[in-house]
Amino acid sequence: MNVIITADRLYTPLEQIEWPVVFITDGVITGVRSRPECELPAGSTVVDLGGAVLVPGFLDMHIHGGAGHDVMEARGALPILEQFLLRHGVTSYLPTTVTAPLDQTLAALDRLGEAIQRADQGGPIHDGLRARPVGIHLEGPFISHLRRGVHPPADLLPPTLEAFERFWEASHGQIKVMTIAPELEGARAVIAEATRRGVCVSMGHSDADAKAAQAGVAAGIRHATHTFNAMRALDHRDPGILGEVLMDERLSAEIIADGVHVDPLVVQLFLRLKGPETSVLVTDATAATGMPAGRYRLGGLEVDVADGKCMADGKLAGSVLTMDKAVRNVMKVANWDLQQAVRLATLNPARAVGLPAHSGKLVPGAVADMVALNANGDVLQTIVRGQVA
Ligand SMILES: [Zn+2]
């Protein structure tokens, strides 16, 4: 089926195109041109999105849930979450596990791995349009007791190749991101093996000093999990993991830009150091996202949500942030323009995760997942595989 989408402006996101015309066949972009230089062929469905700005669909590489559901729940959670995500411009995501008893983690990895394989087989979209899970982010259990946040201490595990192998098998090989504290004994061997299998290994929930962080990078780490949160603090004589994350240009890094997890001034500092090339917006959203205040699940934990904060045990436990809000917050706190801010929710996470070359871009050959925004970054429409959701 041929579909043509027109709008006011398009960000690929690296390039800007005025009066864009996007040609789509069977859900894949076949051409991106500007209206003055092309004719609209007869017989195609034309969707005119008027004054909108078209950008690639957002990718959230760190999200635990939303719309009342957690990704580790036994059944039924993903379709509801995936419809909710479309309303916020997210067309693909990495369901993210938190530390839990081993059997629960293995069961969740199995379910999530199967869901990803089903979504991957593509074909016709059943049950309505939804965001697609494209890989699993394994956030625990290879993390530091000193920086565990709300991850339950009894279920943390020292990193071993045997444990990694069990998680990998359970996930059907669908772990694409793994958070690990590089200072733990045994971490380097696990980092090297996961990297060899194409996993984006990310340092986080860590009390590493700079030397241990650098050793982790030498072993294969190339990303950082929710920078500043659950990390040894920066000290001018002891720069620690943060010194390495902020200064090593080879590393991409996540930030939770909700105004709660990191002070807006520090978000500005982060954006200036990691720049438009390696900054990555994540939500770290929990089941409470998009829901009224109350009590919700985060993996096996209970979290209380009020005033835009998720708390467990007196600590922050994930967020209620949505990706469109994160993009608008970057525009607000750092005075970045929409094109630059959008890159942090599209191309940068796609590169960090290591998705195929066209992911996170509106170019010929890419899946036609896109968001129509207004100039403020508010979501007007979300398009999944060429279909308006
Ligand atoms: Zn998380």
Side-chain angles (χ1 to χ4, degrees):
M1 193 174 93
N2 292 320
V3 179
I4 291 171
I5 296 178
T6 64
D8 239 25
R9 177 174 287 182
L10 178 148
Y11 298 132
T12 65
L14 296 180
E15 319 237 324
Q16 171 179 327
I17 296 170
E18 301 294 334
W19 304 106
V21 182
V22 183
F23 296 87
I24 299 163
T25 301
D26 298 331
V28 174
I29 297 174
T30 53
V32 181
R33 317 257 283 280
S34 186
R35 212 170 307 170
E37 61 191 40
C38 65
E39 276 178 35
L40 303 187
S44 295
T45 309
V46 178
V47 180
D48 183 4
L49 293 175
V53 182
L54 277 178
V55 305
F58 299 149
L59 163 63
D60 192 347
M61 64 182 288
H62 188 152
I63 172 170
H64 301 282
H69 290 280
D70 185 276
V71 301
M72 293 179 81
E73 270 171 34
R75 59 187 68 243
L78 298 189
I80 294 165
L81 169 65
E82 290 165 0
Q83 283 165 7
F84 170 76
L85 288 176
L86 288 190
R87 298 213 292 276
H88 295 282
V90 174
T91 54
S92 43
Y93 72 106
L94 276 80
T96 304
T97 59
V98 291
T99 306
L102 188 61
D103 57 331
Q104 286 177 32
T105 302
L106 293 171
L109 291 173
D110 175 42
R111 282 192 299 273
L112 293 171
E114 281 186 350
I116 292 160
Q117 286 175 328
R118 272 199 306 278
D120 212 30
Q121 281 151 11
I125 305 160
H126 15 254
D127 311 335
L129 299 177
R130 284 151 43 181
R132 234 163 343 124
V134 294
I136 298 167
H137 182 157
L138 181 75
E139 198 182 355
F142 302 144
I143 60 176
S144 162
H145 277 269
L146 297 173
R147 302 286 173 185
R148 65 181 175 83
V150 297
H151 289 243
D155 299 321
L156 300 185
L157 290 177
T160 61
L161 289 174
E162 294 71 32
F164 173 71
E165 188 64 46
R166 286 190 76 180
F167 293 135
W168 180 260
E169 288 293 320
S171 78
H172 307 266
Q174 295 295 338
I175 296 170
K176 288 241 165 52
V177 179
M178 180 176 71
T179 294
I180 191 167
E183 72 276 22
L184 299 180
E185 200 180 326
R188 272 187 270 171
V190 172
I191 292 165
E193 180 57 23
T195 300
R196 199 183 65 75
R197 296 188 197 192
V199 176
C200 161
V201 184
S202 180
M203 54 183 155
H205 284 280
S206 160
D207 197 51
D209 60 16
K211 218 172 132 209
Q214 285 156 0
V217 173
I221 283 177
R222 58 174 203 259
H223 187 72
T225 299
H226 45 49
T227 307
F228 296 104
N229 297 115
M231 282 182 180
R232 181 197 193 100
L234 180 79
D235 180 278
H236 57 295
R237 275 189 285 273
D238 176 14
I241 178 174
L242 271 166
E244 172 61 13
V245 170
L246 293 171
M247 294 310 294
D248 191 330
E249 292 172 355
R250 296 168 296 176
L251 299 174
S252 50
E254 301 173 358
I255 189 95
I256 307 172
D258 64 351
V260 173
H261 280 74
V262 183
D263 187 275
L265 192 58
V266 179
V267 173
Q268 279 187 64
L269 179 147
F270 171 88
L271 292 171
R272 194 167 303 177
L273 288 171
K274 296 311 288 180
E277 294 82 21
T278 55
S279 301
V280 173
L281 293 175
V282 295
T283 63
D284 199 13
T286 63
T289 311
M291 301 294 285
R295 180 162 285 188
Y296 296 90
R297 299 210 72 79
L298 170 59
L301 303 167
E302 288 198 317
V303 298
D304 287 305
V305 180
D307 304 326
K309 284 186 192 176
C310 302
M311 306 291 287
D313 208 4
K315 297 178 191 168
L316 277 175
S319 85
V320 291
L321 181 62
T322 55
M323 192 55 94
D324 54 329
K325 183 87 191 296
V327 167
R328 291 192 296 273
N329 285 348
V330 164
M331 295 168 70
K332 212 180 307 166
V333 302
N335 215 11
W336 280 21
D337 63 28
L338 180 61
Q339 182 177 7
Q340 253 183 330
V342 153
R343 186 170 165 179
L344 278 53
T346 57
L347 180 60
N348 291 5
R351 281 186 177 160
V353 174
L355 296 182
H358 296 317
S359 306
K361 289 193 251 180
L362 293 183
V363 294
V367 172
D369 288 346
M370 47 191 118
V371 198
L373 303 170
N374 67 15
N376 301 325
D378 300 310
V379 175
L380 305 174
Q381 299 275 6
T382 302
I383 292 139
V384 183
R385 299 195 172 194
Q387 297 185 51
V388 178

